[in-house]
Every structure is written in C-alpha cells, then in structure tokens.
C-alpha cells in the first residue's frame, strides 16, 4: 500500500458527507481543474480550504474512482484567487462571496498578513465594523493555530483523529504539555491510555525514569488489574507489575507511592499485614457501597403469625408448596431492609421470588425487578410474569463515557418504590452496585438474589461473595433440589460438579451428553455437526440459538480460532453479503456478534414491522449479542440487531468493541441462558480449568449440554476447586469498625 502512495494538491470544492463523531468525510477536491472524490478522516476541514493529501487511488464497487486519504496537511492559500475562494467559502462565519471579493481587492496577496497582524485595517472595507474585523481575525487565527498544531502533533506520529482530540482538549497549551508531561493525556483524553502516551513521550524524548512516567505507569498497572476483576492489588504485586511495565527496578516504583497517596491518586490500606493499593475511585466505591448497605439493613417487627397467614393464602392461590428455606427467605424479606438469597439451579429461587412478589403485592407495595443484562431481565420477566428491566434501564441511563455512566436515578433523584429485587447478582460489579445503592433510600427493601458458586462479575469486584462472606447481613441459602428439577441431568450434574462429585458420562441422559474426542480438529468437526444437524431439531431452536462456550480466548479451541472456523461453515462468504475487515476480524452480514465493553452512549431503536418507533434508548453492554443486518461502506456504518429487536448503528471506529460470537468464553456467558450449549474441552492452564468455570458453563443450558473432548480434563476440572484469586476489599470495608 505504501509503495503506491501518491500526493495530490487542491482545494475543497464541497463536502458530500461528514460523520461529526469520527471525522470520516467524503469531499470533492479540485486538482488541476479536475474534480476528485476523496475519502478519509479529516480534522475541522471546510469548503474552500487548500490541502496537500497523501494516499492511494481506489475503485469503489458502487461509487467509482476515489482517492483514499491516509494523511493530509492544510495549506494556506497562496494566490489572490485561492485567498478569495477560501474567505468566501463559508469557512469564516460572516464573510460571504461578495465581502471576500472586496477584502481581496483591497489587500491582494497581503490579505492574510493584514488579518493576522493588522486586523483593525479590515474595518476600512464597507460592511466591516471594528468588532466584525476582530471576529474575522479570531477565526482565521484559530484555524491557523489548529493547522500548526496538527503539523506539530503529526511529527510525533500522532494520527489526525487523535491530534484533533488533543488540540480540542488543550488548545495552545498542547506544545508545553507534550514537551513536559505527555502522560497527562492518559488522564484527560478518552482513548489515550498509558501505552499511547508512553509511545509519544519516547518520541518527544522524555526520560524513562521521569517522575511523570513512573506515576502514570503505577496508575496504569492498577487500571489493568481492574480489567482482570481486581479492585486493588497488594503492594508487592503492584510493584512487580509496574516494574515490569516500566522496565525499572522496584525501588524506583516504591519511591512514588507516598506522593501519589498525598495527591489522593491512590489509597493505601493496611489489612491483616497486607498493604492494599487502590486507585482512589475503586476505594471510595467500595467504602461508600459498604456504608450504604449498612444503612439499608433495618429491621421491621412483623409477627410470625401474620406472615404465615399471608403465606397460606399465597400457597392456596398459586398451588405452590414452599420448603423451610423458602419460607425462611420470605420471612426474612418481610422483616429486613436488606436480604441476600443464594442457591444453585433447581433450588427454587424463582418460586421464592414469586412468593415474595405476591406477598408485597398483597401489602399494596410497589415492586421493581431488575437484572444486570437484557437476557437475564427477559428471563426474569418470563418466570415471574412481572416486568423486569436491566439495572441500567431502571436507573435511567442517560449516556456517558466508559467507566463513567450517567444515571438519572441517584441520591438526588432516588428510585420511587417500596421493594427492589435484583436477580443474577453474581454478575454485578462494584461500579454498578455503587450506582444502584446511590438510588436506593433507607426504608426501601433491597433483595439480592444470585448463585454465589458462579464465576464472579466480568467487571471489578466480588460483590455478592463479599457481602455473603462478611456475615453482616441476613442471608438465606437454598439447597434443596425440587422434584421437577431432579429429573434434569443438567441440574443434577451441575450440583455434583459444585460438590466435587464424579459425573456419569455413559450418555444415557436425555439432556447431558459427553462425546469423547482427543484431537482439536475432530472436536471442532463434531461441534459443527451438532450445531448444523443434530441440536436444532433436538431442542427446537435455530443454529444461532445454540452457543459454543469455551474456557479460553487463545489456543486450538480458543474463541479466536473457533469463531474463524465456525463463521466459515455457519455463515460462509456469499456475493450477496457485504463484508468489513477490521483488525484481525472479518465481519460479514449475517454474523453473530457480541459487544465486549460497556458503551453508555450508543443509541438503539426498536421499530415495528411498519417502521414505526416503539422504543429507543442508550447503552449497549459487555456481553450483549446480536446479528449484523447491514454493512454500509459509504457511510462507514454497521447495523446490528440485538435482543428484543434493538437496532444499533455502529460507526466503523467502534468495531473494536465487537467480536464474532459463534463461540464465546464461559466468562462472557454469565447471566445468559441458551436452549443448548456445546462445550469443547481439551487442555488448559490448571488455574483456569476449575470447578467454578465448569459449573458456570453447564448451568447456562436450558435443554441440552453437550461436552466434546477429553474426559480426563473434565474430571480434573471437577476435582480442581482452586479459583482464580480476585482482590476485592468490599468484605474488609464491611467488617471495619
């Protein structure tokens, strides 16, 4: 591509299309009196401006010959024709064609010097007041400043898109910041992390042992740890990570802890001889979460006889027969402001929730139901018969940046209800829990329901586990497997796995199968046969509803390889299906995809079959799955249909947030339920291949589990009860005096 690069010069005649979010622009450039369509990412470019562009000529199948701009530089107009064209193009507000002609007629080639150095002289021209003269000069100078900043930033290898972001943030301060402390960008600018700032710093010539670099590196190491689920790191581990990241000896790192603590960038907490190193945000989230949970833990004096009378009425109406733990759960829900209910599949969590709902309904109370994901909320609605929403929708998400979601419901505008029941609590991370509690006032009953034996949340923290382990709140554990559930080998075997007991692999079951294979390619072949031929009829579902769950991202049976192979056979290339290559992923219309990070700003719409708007909102979240409906290269947009018919338009710059989802990791499947799951198992790291992971995978299936692979690995996972260590301090914050 680079070898074919060409350079062209011309002026912007008109702009055909501009995406204001990412700067993607289609424009017509006049080069040597020839019209040329150019496409690319441009800064604040306007009609009439002169540019020198570098790129390649391409032939678009629909739009014909185009020049694909890879980099460009704005040029000041040189002759009187170019100056007049630029001033009259609309680039300068308040200057039209006629006024531009009068300015250039008076000052000729000296026009720009006059505007920059003697702007008051513009008032000599009819139609220009002293104030207007200054406004024109300010606009011209601002564009000149932007142009110069672009040239300055691009010499350090900074892309046009990022350069615009940097200039918009700092303006004329950009020169000093880049030369003194480019690591500020990692704090101030979305999309600039430590590695980007470090790369720029090395080009600028910042020393590797610079104080700015070390402090930024320490904060980045904590940020990386939060991506692994930790809210803090022990001091020794943080030092080791930062030392490796920065390529410096540990003592260089440790010297900066106290300064960062004094600046309130990090919080250091001593617990049982270990120094917990927090980024400030996560420490205060945990500390405030602990305080708010305690505030909700109030008691209500309700006589046993009154509760039992209500329960008999409900059992008679619903023909439900509660066991002693379920009865205890209802009583605790009535008597306490905060209650945790935990139990595995088939232990009657849904029946318990339904009974609690009916009890409070009879009391005339308002009840809100919510779950962390759309799929989990939908399932909650189906099993209770009451409307359930995602926690984000209940809190009225109003859009915001990653990690900084804005919710309309908070301490100033709390949720107006008497009872809130949250299901699938194992998926709730510390950020979401903190946001939820801020919107719940004391006196509102909060009931948290979940399976503590599932994998912890994708986001940082171990909220459900820490709350239970603290022993500070009323907790009811449901353990009895009910008769109707005991006929399902999925449920029976899930409990065996959880207890570390052996599971029969004789395939005499109706819903739990193990197909022994010991070669990765054979495992993939069997997986394909199951998805394409066997399982759809068996469970009454489509190929797309059957989910492959795998322990790992990398490797012969990792997500990345499996998705490439499964895409080839489940959605092969077709002349009628458009494609888009992004990084190492090829997206194709009809592909099954998953969102892999929270995006609180993406807008979605639900329309009727006649195109009428039914609902709209913002926010697509980590784990949401959909189908690619359309790929539009001209507009650089991919349209995806998510659960519940939510349609979302993704600008190409956001495709990094999507992955193919024919196969997903078991971690990403939390809170979801599929008609059938296929689990390929061969080998993997012992720390990862554990009982907790296997249990979570098996409990994702509604009608059928098929494991394809090595039976010895399966048995090893059942025996391996070593969970990956997650550093979270909510339990410590709850038990502190």
């Amino acid at each position: 591509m680079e070898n074919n690069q060409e350079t062209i010069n011309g002026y912007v005649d008109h702009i055909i299309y501009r995406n204001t979010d990412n700067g993607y622009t289609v424009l017509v450039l006049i080069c040597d009196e020839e019209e040329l369509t150019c496409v690319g990412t441009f800064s604040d470019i306007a009609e009439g401006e002169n540019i020198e562009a570098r790129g390649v000529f391409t032939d678009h199948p629909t739009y014909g010959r185009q020049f694909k701009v890879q980099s460009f530089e704005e040029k000041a107009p040189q002759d009187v024709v170019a100056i007049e064209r630029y001033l009259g193009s609309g680039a300068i507000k308040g200057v039209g064609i006629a006024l531009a002609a009068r300015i250039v007629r008076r000052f000729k080639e000296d026009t720009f010097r006059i505007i920059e150095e003697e702007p008051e002289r513009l008032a000599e021209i009819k139609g220009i007041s002293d104030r207007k003269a200054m406004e024109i000069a300010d606009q011209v100078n601002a564009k000149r400043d932007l142009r110069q900043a672009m040239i300055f930033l691009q010499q350090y290898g900074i892309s046009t898109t990022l350069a615009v972001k940097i200039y918009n943030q700092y303006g004329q301060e950009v020169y000093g910041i880049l030369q003194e402390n480019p690591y500020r960008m990692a704090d101030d600018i979305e999309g600039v992390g430590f590695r980007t700032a470090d790369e720029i710093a090395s080009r600028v010539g910042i020393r590797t042992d610079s104080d700015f670099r070390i402090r930024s590196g320490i904060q980045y190491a904590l940020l990386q740890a939060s991506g692994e689920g930790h809210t803090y790191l022990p001091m020794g581990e943080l030092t080791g990570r930062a030392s490796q990241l920065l390529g410096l000896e540990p003592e260089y790192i440790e010297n900066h802890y106290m300064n960062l603590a004094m600046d309130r960038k990090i919080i250091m907490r001593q617990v049982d001889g270990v120094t917990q190193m927090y980024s400030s945000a996560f420490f205060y989230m945990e500390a405030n979460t602990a305080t708010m949970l305690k505030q909700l833990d109030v008691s209500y004096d309700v006589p046993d006889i009154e509760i039992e009378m209500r329960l008999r009425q409900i059992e008679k109406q619903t023909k439900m027969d509660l066991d002693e733990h379920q009865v205890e759960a209802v009583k605790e829900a009535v008597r306490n402001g905060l209650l945790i209910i935990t139990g595995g599949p088939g232990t009657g969590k849904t029946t318990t929730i339904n009974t609690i709902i009916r009890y409070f309904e009879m009391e005339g109370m308002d009840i809100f139901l919510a779950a962390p994901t759309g799929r989990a909320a939908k399932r909650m609605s189906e099993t209770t018969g009451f409307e359930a929403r995602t926690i984000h929708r209940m809190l009225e998400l109003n859009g915001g940046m990653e990690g900084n979601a804005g919710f309309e419901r908070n301490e100033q505008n709390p949720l107006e209800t008497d009872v809130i029941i949250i299901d699938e609590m194992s998926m709730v991370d510390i950020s979401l829990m903190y946001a939820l509690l801020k919107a719940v006032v004391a006196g509102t009953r909060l009931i948290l329901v979940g399976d503590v034996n599932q994998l912890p949340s994708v986001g940082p923290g171990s909220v459900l586990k820490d709350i239970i382990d603290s022993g500070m709140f009323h907790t009811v554990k449901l353990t009895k497997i009910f008769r109707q559930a005991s006929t399902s080998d999925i449920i029976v075997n899930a409990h065996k796995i959880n207890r570390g007991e052996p599971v029969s692999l004789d395939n005499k079951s109706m819903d739990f199968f193990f197909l022994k294979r010991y070669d990765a390619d054979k495992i993939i072949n069997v997986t394909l046969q199951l998805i394409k031929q066997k399982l759809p009829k068996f469970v009454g579902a489509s190929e797309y509803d059957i989910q492959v769950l795998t322990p790992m991202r990398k490797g012969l049976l990792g997500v990345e390889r499996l998705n490439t192979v499964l895409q080839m056979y489940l959605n092969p290339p077709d002349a009628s299906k458009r494609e888009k290559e992004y990084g190492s992923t090829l997206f194709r219309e009809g592909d099954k995809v998953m969102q892999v990070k929270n995006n609180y700003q993406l807008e979605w719409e639900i329309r009727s079959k006649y195109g009428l708007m039914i609902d709209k909102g913002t926010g697509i979240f980590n784990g949401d799955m959909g189908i690619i409906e359309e790929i539009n290269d001209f507009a650089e947009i991919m349209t995806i249909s998510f659960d519940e018919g939510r349609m979302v338009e993704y600008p190409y710059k956001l495709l990094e947030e999507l992955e193919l989802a024919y196969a997903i990791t078991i971690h990403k499947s939390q809170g979801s339920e599929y008609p059938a799951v296929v689990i390929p198992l061969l080998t993997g790291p012992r720390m990862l291949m554990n009982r907790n992971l296997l249990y979570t995978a098996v409990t994702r299936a509604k009608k059928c589990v098929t494991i394809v692979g090595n039976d010895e690995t399966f048995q090893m996972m059942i025996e391996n009860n070593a969970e990956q260590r997650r550093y979270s301090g909510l339990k410590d914050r709850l038990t502190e005096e």
Side-chain angles (χ1 to χ4, degrees), residues 1-57:
M1 181 76 81
E2 290 297 322
N3 296 338
N4 299 327
Q5 197 177 68
E6 298 184 43
T7 301
I8 59 173
N9 288 275
Y11 70 89
V12 180
D13 183 65
H14 62 279
I15 292 169
I16 299 172
Y17 170 82
R18 163 169 278 159
N19 184 322
T20 52
D21 291 334
N22 60 14
Y24 175 77
T25 306
V26 181
L27 56 83
V28 172
L29 200 70
I30 304 295
C31 306
D32 299 326
E33 299 185 1
E34 179 192 351
E35 286 192 2
L36 183 61
T37 302
C38 296
V39 297
T41 301
F42 291 85
S43 54
D44 187 25
I45 202 164
E47 292 173 358
E49 291 192 3
N50 293 265
I51 65 169
E52 179 179 278
R54 289 163 291 283
V56 292
F57 283 98

Side-chain angles (χ1 to χ4, degrees), residues 537-687:
K537 288 179 185 174
F538 187 71
V539 297
S542 72
E543 290 179 4
Y544 278 71
D545 291 326
I546 294 156
Q547 190 59 52
V548 178
L549 304 179
T550 182
M552 294 169 293
R553 288 196 57 80
K554 306 283 186 184
L556 294 174
L557 293 176
V559 162
E560 292 172 10
R561 181 172 185 238
L562 281 172
N563 271 321
T564 303
V565 177
L566 293 172
Q567 180 194 43
M568 193 187 308
Y569 287 97
L570 299 178
N571 188 29
D574 188 304
S576 66
K577 293 182 178 180
R578 282 168 288 199
E579 299 177 347
K580 169 64 183 172
E581 194 167 350
Y582 189 88
S584 58
T585 304
L586 178 69
F587 293 106
R588 182 176 295 132
E589 288 175 344
D591 273 338
K592 183 176 174 181
V593 292
M594 172 183 272
Q595 175 79 8
V596 294
K597 64 186 285 192
N598 289 337
N599 187 319
Y600 301 108
Q601 294 178 305
L602 265 176
E603 297 177 354
W604 51 262
E605 293 181 351
I606 299 175
R607 293 186 175 272
S608 71
K609 62 180 179 179
Y610 304 109
L612 297 173
M613 175 88 72
I614 296 173
D615 197 5
K616 66 177 182 177
T618 58
I620 298 294
F621 305 109
N622 194 347
D624 284 356
M625 293 172 75
I627 303 292
I628 298 174
E629 299 289 344
E630 184 186 7
I631 295 173
N632 185 331
D633 272 337
F634 180 72
E636 295 215 326
I637 283 172
M638 187 183 287
T639 304
I640 297 172
S641 169
F642 284 93
D643 292 337
E644 301 164 348
R646 292 174 298 153
M647 302 297 291
V648 181
E649 291 188 344
Y650 277 76
Y652 280 0
K653 70 167 185 175
L654 291 183
L655 296 188
E656 64 186 9
E657 297 183 6
L658 291 169
E659 288 182 356
L660 294 175
Y662 298 100
I664 62 173
T665 62
I666 295 166
H667 279 86
K668 290 284 190 188
S669 71
Q670 287 170 266
S672 295
E673 191 176 65
Y674 310 96
V677 300
V678 180
I679 307 167
L681 275 187
L682 198 55
T683 57
R686 180 173 169 77
M687 185 52 75

Side-chain angles (χ1 to χ4, degrees), residues 329-330 333 341 352-361 421 447:
V330 178
I341 300 171
T352 306
I353 292 172
N354 284 336
T355 307
I356 290 170
I357 290 169
R358 280 165 178 77
Y359 187 102
F360 287 129
E361 259 205 321
I421 303 176
I447 300 164

Side-chain angles (χ1 to χ4, degrees), residues 195-330:
R195 291 201 182 278
T196 303
D198 200 34
E199 199 176 309
I200 293 167
S202 68
R203 290 183 187 138
V204 173
I206 302 287
R207 287 172 38 169
T208 55
D209 62 352
S210 142
D211 289 354
F212 295 128
R213 180 172 186 262
I214 295 171
R215 289 177 195 179
S216 185
I218 291 167
Q219 291 172 268
Y220 179 67
L222 283 172
L223 179 67
Q224 276 190 313
S226 72
E228 297 165 23
H230 307 299
T231 56
Y232 75 87
L233 286 177
M235 183 188 281
E237 187 157 341
L238 174 58
T239 302
R241 287 184 181 218
S243 174
Q244 187 175 8
L245 171 73
L246 296 167
L248 296 171
E249 292 299 314
E251 58 265 26
Y252 282 99
I253 312 299
E254 290 164 355
N255 290 340
H256 288 274
Y257 288 154
M258 202 50 69
N259 287 330
L260 282 166
M262 287 170 68
D263 290 342
R264 311 299 284 173
K265 297 282 188 184
I266 63 171
I267 305 290
M268 301 164 70
R269 207 67 161 190
Q270 196 77 19
V271 177
D272 297 332
V274 175
T275 304
Q276 298 176 347
M277 307 292 285
Y278 280 91
S279 68
S280 295
F282 283 121
F283 176 79
Y284 289 116
M285 265 186 216
E286 284 192 344
N288 291 330
T289 295
T291 301
M292 290 186 286
L293 283 167
K294 290 176 183 176
Q295 288 169 349
L296 290 176
D297 189 29
V298 295
S299 297
Y300 300 94
D301 186 17
V302 185
D304 237 28
I305 190 165
E306 186 180 314
I307 301 173
E308 286 171 359
M309 183 181 74
R310 283 259 192 257
L311 277 173
R312 280 195 293 274
Q313 279 181 272
I314 294 167
E315 285 181 321
K316 190 175 178 182
Q317 287 171 1
T318 60
K319 297 184 172 53
M320 290 190 293
D321 188 19
L322 305 183
D323 80 342
E324 60 189 273
H325 293 302
Q326 291 175 307
V327 170
E328 181 195 358
V330 178

Side-chain angles (χ1 to χ4, degrees), residues 451-456 493-503 551 666-667 679 681 685-700 707 712-724:
D451 184 349
V452 77
N453 293 306
Q454 282 186 30
L455 291 167
N493 288 339
H495 284 277
K496 284 183 177 179
I497 290 166
N498 194 37
R499 294 192 297 265
E501 297 171 4
V503 171
I666 295 166
H667 279 86
I679 307 167
L681 275 187
R686 180 173 169 77
M687 185 52 75
L688 175 67
M689 307 289 277
N690 59 34
R691 183 186 301 173
N692 196 213
L693 191 82
L694 186 60
Y695 174 78
T696 301
V698 167
T699 53
R700 297 309 90 212
I707 301 170
E712 289 183 9
T713 300
F714 176 77
Q715 300 297 354
M716 179 274 288
M717 289 179 77
I718 294 174
E719 293 163 14
N720 180 15
N721 200 25
E723 294 178 29
Q724 285 181 296

